[in-house]
Amino acid sequence: MTIRLAGLPEADQDRIGRTRASVAALHAELPRNELVVWTAGNVSEKVPELTSGHQLFVIKPSGVSYDELSAENMVVCTLDGQKIDDGTADSLTPSSDTAAHAYVYRHMDHVGGVVHTHSTFATAWAARAEPIPCVLTMMADEFGGDVPVGPFALIGDDSIGQGIVETLRESRSKAVLMERHGPFTIGADAKAAVKAAVMCEEVARTVHYARAYGDPVRIDQAQIDSLYARYQNVYGQKGNTA
Ligand SMILES: O=C(CO)[C@@H](O)[C@H](O)COP(=O)(O)O
């Protein structure tokens, strides 16, 4: 039976509303960071701590221009990728990549946010099915090593999601270059996944130019491990309330 948003406890409705607003706002980061053209990218976030016990996520409606996105038209889905009765028109369909996002949430419990783009430099590496080698400290920081390539898969069923999960389970990376398609990124929440998408495009561009003029040198594994540990555990204002 379809879950009805209006029938959920008030606290759950409030939580879902906050997630819808946050995911709608984060989509503006995709064109702002030049990660998308037209509508070719999407962001989703799993709704945490629902008292009703439902497991839901929020994702962009398919093909809707980023400047028309709002909390009200963010689509709410079950982890099976099925749209609930979320108050939007029945005709409003979720992202083409909903099945992939849903598969990741079902199989990677620690993931709270997923992003997909076709950002130019990362997608060029995906077109060559070539992992981005870890030749930059920024890559060790954010990805803990190379940015891996996932298998080519057609859109619309679980195959992309399966490829994302199989690839990222073997890596610390928050980004995977799906072969001949483009990058998918994950994070503890949608903002972390958007950051990973921004950083993935940045390192794809930098390493592309580095290789155009020479042979970049890999960072050795012990140094990658040290850089990753510092960045993930010390960098920024970890826990500071100031
Ligand atoms: O690769 C594709 C379509 O082939 C998708 O990733 C779109 O580029 C974004 O689709 P929507 O989220 O707007 O449905």
Side-chain angles (χ1 to χ4, degrees):
M1 184 176 80
T2 302
I3 298 168
R4 199 168 139 266
L5 178 62
L8 295 179
E10 281 293 323
D12 286 2
Q13 293 186 49
D14 291 346
R15 191 78 191 81
I16 292 166
R18 286 199 298 276
T19 303
R20 288 173 108 170
S22 166
V23 172
L26 276 170
H27 274 89
E29 292 300 311
L30 303 188
R32 191 172 77 85
N33 286 281
E34 299 181 347
L35 301 182
V36 294
V37 291
W38 203 241
T39 63
N42 39 68
V43 179
S44 74
E45 185 169 86
K46 199 162 67 172
V47 185
E49 299 147 14
L50 289 175
T51 61
S52 55
H54 291 304
Q55 293 206 69
L56 304 173
F57 72 97
V58 170
I59 193 165
K60 163 194 151 193
S62 183
V64 175
S65 172
Y66 294 109
D67 53 14
E68 294 172 16
L69 295 178
S70 67
E72 291 67 33
N73 63 19
M74 285 297 114
V75 180
V76 186
C77 296
T78 64
L79 292 203
D80 291 325
Q82 299 308 310
K83 177 181 175 183
I84 75 167
D85 177 358
D86 60 8
T88 64
D90 289 346
S91 57
L92 189 75
T93 56
S95 167
S96 318
D97 298 296
T98 297
H101 289 236
Y103 190 94
V104 171
Y105 289 131
R106 290 200 304 276
H107 293 84
M108 302 182 90
D109 287 345
H110 63 289
V111 173
V114 178
V115 170
H116 170 50
T117 78
H118 296 249
S119 59
T120 303
F121 285 87
T123 302
W125 287 85
R128 298 194 305 271
E130 185 177 358
I132 306 174
C134 190
V135 297
L136 301 170
T137 57
M138 177 188 259
M139 292 191 66
D141 287 348
E142 178 72 9
F143 303 110
D146 295 2
V147 175
V149 172
F152 177 76
L154 293 180
I155 199 163
D157 60 17
D158 280 347
S159 47
I160 290 180
Q162 286 168 349
I164 294 167
V165 170
E166 285 161 11
T167 306
L168 291 183
R169 273 196 177 136
E170 302 304 315
S171 162
R172 287 185 297 205
S173 178
K174 298 187 184 75
V176 53
L177 309 174
M178 294 305 283
E179 183 183 336
R180 288 172 281 167
H181 185 173
F184 280 80
T185 60
I186 60 173
D189 56 20
K191 184 175 181 182
V194 169
K195 176 189 176 186
V198 171
M199 302 282 266
C200 179
E201 178 62 6
E202 176 63 11
V203 301
R205 177 174 33 245
T206 304
V207 180
H208 166 83
Y209 286 129
R211 289 216 318 199
Y213 300 99
D215 297 321
V217 178
R218 277 181 174 281
I219 300 171
D220 76 41
Q221 191 56 51
Q223 292 171 325
I224 291 174
D225 294 346
S226 169
L227 287 160
Y228 182 69
R230 186 202 73 85
Y231 190 77
Q232 299 299 319
N233 300 301
V234 177
Y235 173 80
Q237 303 303 316
K238 291 280 183 289
N240 292 349
T241 52

